[in-house]
Amino acid sequence: MNELIKKLVEAYGPSGFEDQVRAFVRTEVEGLADDISVDAMGNLIAHKKGDGSGLKVMIAAHMDEIGLMVTHVTEEGFLRFTNIGGIRAHTLLGNRVQFADGRIGVVYSDRIKDRGKVHPLSKHFIDVGADSREDCPVGVGDAAGFVRPFVAQGSRLIAKSMDDRIGCAVAIEAMKRLESSPHDIYFVFSVQEEVGTRGAQAAANKLDPDVGIALDVTLTGDVPEAMPMSVSLGKGTAIKVKDSGMIAHTGLVRVMKQRAEAAGIPYQLEVLTAGTTDARPIQIANGGAAAGCISIPCRYVHSQSEMVDAADVENSVRLLVEILANPIDL
Ligand code: CO
Ligand code: ZN
């Protein structure tokens, strides 16, 4: 699975600019679904038909990643920018970004006089090697994602954009392993999650599923002075109970726990006090759906070195397959 994960996490695709990562996902799911479509917003929807006895299930994993967008170019050819999604200034200095054409930029900030302080985003810039505004090859409105090679070290997998390409990897792998299902399943590789779960909202309104399951990363409480949280890296897939945007459907949580226990899949219960996922818009679209989330524990979320554990990824795939292969009794 590492080869698939490497290609996914290294692909370019800030929110709203998912074309390249979508083209790659499409090549991976071709042949695994009955039909594949792309909606007006850019969500890739892979439909796998059931035998007619089950429910309509929407699986959502977001393709987009956090990034930067150029707001203006200085006379000297430096790019000022705004954030695309949850970018924190203290993760930026010295990092490299990549534009859609592959061009690399270095992120730095105006001179720091007080080393105990970090400049706001507005006092950072990107240097693409231009000498002036006139010869700058990048302009206003261009979007950049971060650059970091994928690393597998023991069971730990480290990369930018694990959020949420690892969810995309779990979805693709589950599609490969799922031999048959009673359910009519729509695997949605969604857009614009990082700017407010927008793609999944449009898709859920159109598909109107009975059940929605998001696949996304969650935080862990196992690093120095972490926010207290009872999820650790390597201790199993995480079944979401609550986050700051939703309370998971209790019947679906029960089904997830039962499936995990029956199949001997290690799991942890997740109560996340910050952030939400595509499960929230699915839950409240149209007349509502029974929604929940299989979370992949992840350290350093929204940094350029997000870390997951291969065993948690594997257990997330196994749990998803177990849920989809069996009746869902809510
Ligand atoms: Co995120
Ligand atoms: Zn995410």
Side-chain angles (χ1 to χ4, degrees):
M1 224 180 145
N2 279 2
E3 203 46 44
L4 170 66
I5 297 170
K6 176 181 164 64
K7 286 186 178 145
L8 283 166
V9 294
E10 291 183 356
Y12 169 89
S15 310
F17 298 80
E18 297 91 354
D19 316 47
Q20 292 180 29
V21 61
R22 180 173 56 241
F24 172 68
V25 171
R26 190 172 190 133
T27 62
E28 286 294 315
V29 300
E30 219 114 47
L32 300 175
D34 294 298
D35 55 81
I36 294 171
S37 60
V38 177
D39 70 11
M41 277 192 78
N43 296 301
L44 179 79
I45 302 172
H47 180 201
K48 221 167 143 75
K49 288 183 185 143
D51 66 14
S53 69
L55 302 174
K56 190 195 271 191
V57 180
M58 172 173 164
I59 304 297
H62 68 89
M63 296 185 289
D64 62 311
E65 62 182 322
I66 55 173
L68 310 176
M69 182 180 279
V70 177
T71 52
H72 67 281
V73 184
T74 70
E75 241 173 88
E76 298 78 20
F78 296 98
L79 311 160
R80 295 291 190 179
F81 58 84
T82 188
N83 60 304
I84 299 176
I87 298 281
R88 286 156 303 174
H90 57 263
T91 63
L92 290 180
L93 220 60
N95 264 298
R96 296 173 197 183
V97 292
Q98 183 175 32
F99 288 88
D101 64 358
R103 188 174 301 278
I104 299 293
V106 173
V107 185
Y108 216 75
S109 77
D110 300 357
R111 185 157 64 94
I112 297 169
K113 290 177 189 135
D114 178 352
R115 290 196 178 194
K117 290 213 177 89
V118 179
H119 278 313
L121 288 188
S122 58
K123 288 177 78 65
H124 284 70
F125 56 82
I126 303 168
D127 182 345
V128 289
D131 288 325
S132 68
R133 184 183 290 146
E134 286 68 46
D135 75 20
C136 187
V138 178
V140 173
D142 287 343
F146 292 95
V147 185
R148 280 290 166 104
F150 170 75
V151 173
Q153 184 161 262
S155 68
R156 306 296 206 217
L157 311 178
I158 308 158
K160 63 111 178 150
S161 306
M162 280 295 180
D163 176 12
D164 183 31
R165 307 287 168 71
I166 199 66
C168 296
V170 168
I172 293 167
E173 191 64 23
M175 289 177 78
K176 287 180 185 163
R177 294 190 202 175
L178 189 65
E179 280 160 14
S180 67
S181 170
H183 309 296
D184 207 23
I185 310 167
Y186 293 85
F187 290 89
V188 177
F189 296 87
S190 64
V191 296
Q192 299 195 35
E193 190 272 354
E194 295 291 357
V195 291
T197 60
R198 296 174 193 169
Q201 184 170 349
N205 273 317
K206 182 177 177 196
L207 298 172
D208 196 17
D210 303 307
V211 171
I213 299 174
L215 310 170
D216 208 335
V217 297
T218 190
L219 307 180
T220 67
D222 61 353
V223 294
E225 298 195 28
M227 194 169 62
M229 187 175 173
S230 106
V231 171
S232 302
L233 213 60
K235 299 254 171 78
T237 184
I239 296 173
K240 189 186 293 292
V241 178
K242 179 187 185 300
D243 63 25
S244 59
M246 62 131 27
I247 295 164
H249 185 278
T250 54
L252 185 57
V253 169
R254 176 177 34 77
V255 168
M256 288 182 176
K257 283 157 72 176
Q258 283 168 348
R259 288 283 161 244
E261 276 155 26
I265 300 167
Y267 71 93
Q268 318 174 65
L269 293 176
E270 173 206 351
V271 177
L272 176 69
T273 54
T276 194
T277 71
D278 279 344
R280 173 188 160 84
I282 302 172
Q283 182 174 52
I284 55 179
N286 285 321
C293 185
I294 295 176
S295 301
I296 302 100
C298 183
R299 291 179 182 166
Y300 324 123
V301 173
H302 286 201
S303 78
Q304 294 76 23
S305 298
E306 298 175 325
M307 182 189 288
V308 301
D309 190 277
D312 295 338
V313 177
E314 171 64 19
N315 287 318
S316 301
V317 175
R318 288 178 62 206
L319 178 58
L320 180 60
V321 170
E322 285 297 323
I323 293 164
L324 295 177
N326 291 290
I328 298 173
D329 182 10
L330 296 170

